[in-house]
Amino acid sequence: MKNTFKLFAILAAALMLAGMFAGCSESDTLVMATNAEFPPYEYYDGDKIVGIDVEIAEAIAEKLGRKLVIEDIAFDSIIPAVQSGKADMGVAGMTITADRLQNVDFSDTYVTASQVIIVHKDNTDINSPDDLVGKTIGVQLGTTGDIYAEDEDIEGATLERYNKGFEAVQALQQKKIDAVIIDDQPAKYFAEQNPDIKVIDEPFTVEDYAIAVKKGNTELLKKINDAIRELKASGKLQEIFDKYIGD
Ligand code: GLN
């Protein structure tokens, strides 16, 4: 009798545990894939990932009543992660491009950005995109800086691809390359941290950032767009930008 009771208790406990795991199913979390090397949009503050995109994603998760989980992966793995369903959304200062639209759907845009050129402070001969002819240019692999520099087919220029934007910046500091093409806000951030580099005023391209979801996931896309619209209307989106981008 005693043994039967024990068995029953164990079974009951096992069932409760199973129930707890079931309760913690995927739909309770909202998984964001990003590459946390992109300040001020996503970067590490100690061991915590913070930034504009993180706060936007937090606000979306809150509206959906789900808990935000951040997966920090290589930038060029974000779209595959969204396609395979490993992540619910890609939030990574990601620019809408025609090519990417073949593989994922994009939300409404939440900010307009640009690609800019950074050079060493000592450099006087690169003052606009036209001056990149014959130069060695650093880009982050798979980013629009990479794609557009390739598309432009700048005469005599050599492209050096790095896994992280900051690695390109380091190569520039060491004068291994002549210029880096990177998004405007990270460029500003890196230039503030490193007085030996400067940002060229004239942008290389202008582009829109948006959130990527799996193709055909209209349900999530609609919720994300509703959340973005509300964040814009309430002024919360502006607040988030102001918090991370000073003037
Ligand atoms: N905006 C650029 C792109 O979409 C770079 C994004 C990034 O490096 N996180 O390719």
Side-chain angles (χ1 to χ4, degrees), residues 53-66:
D53 283 339
V54 177
E55 297 214 14
I56 292 173
E58 286 283 6
I60 292 170
E62 198 181 310
K63 282 192 193 309
L64 266 59
R66 288 156 73 170

Side-chain angles (χ1 to χ4, degrees), residues 30 52-66 68 89 223-224 226-228 230-231 234 236-237 240:
L30 183 68
I52 295 168
D53 283 339
V54 177
E55 297 214 14
I56 292 173
E58 286 283 6
I60 292 170
E62 198 181 310
K63 282 192 193 309
L64 266 59
R66 288 156 73 170
L68 186 71
M89 56 180 190
K223 287 178 181 161
I224 290 175
D226 287 347
I228 291 176
E230 275 175 45
L231 287 171
S234 66
K236 170 88 175 140
L237 188 68
I240 296 173

Side-chain angles (χ1 to χ4, degrees), residues 34-133:
T34 196
N35 174 240
E37 302 281 348
F38 197 67
Y41 287 93
E42 40 267 329
Y43 59 101
Y44 280 92
D45 181 9
D47 56 4
K48 207 172 166 248
I49 301 172
V50 298
I52 295 168
D53 283 339
V54 177
E55 297 214 14
I56 292 173
E58 286 283 6
I60 292 170
E62 198 181 310
K63 282 192 193 309
L64 266 59
R66 288 156 73 170
K67 187 181 169 327
L68 186 71
V69 173
I70 304 176
E71 298 283 354
D72 178 22
I73 58 180
F75 184 77
D76 60 355
S77 300
I78 296 173
I79 287 185
V82 169
Q83 284 180 297
S84 71
K86 265 192 219 149
D88 296 305
M89 56 180 190
V91 196
M94 192 179 281
T95 304
I96 305 172
T97 72
D99 270 355
R100 291 174 183 165
L101 275 168
Q102 313 232 303
N103 299 313
V104 286
D105 288 339
F106 278 104
S107 71
D108 295 341
T109 175
Y110 58 92
V111 66
T112 300
S114 59
Q115 295 294 312
V116 296
I117 299 163
I118 328 177
V119 295
H120 198 279
K121 186 174 83 325
D122 299 343
N123 184 308
T124 49
D125 58 344
I126 301 176
N127 299 296
S128 84
D130 295 339
D131 300 329
L132 292 173
V133 171

Side-chain angles (χ1 to χ4, degrees), residues 5-16:
F5 182 75
K6 239 189 196 163
L7 188 69
F8 181 77
I10 289 168
L11 260 173
L15 272 171
M16 262 172 66

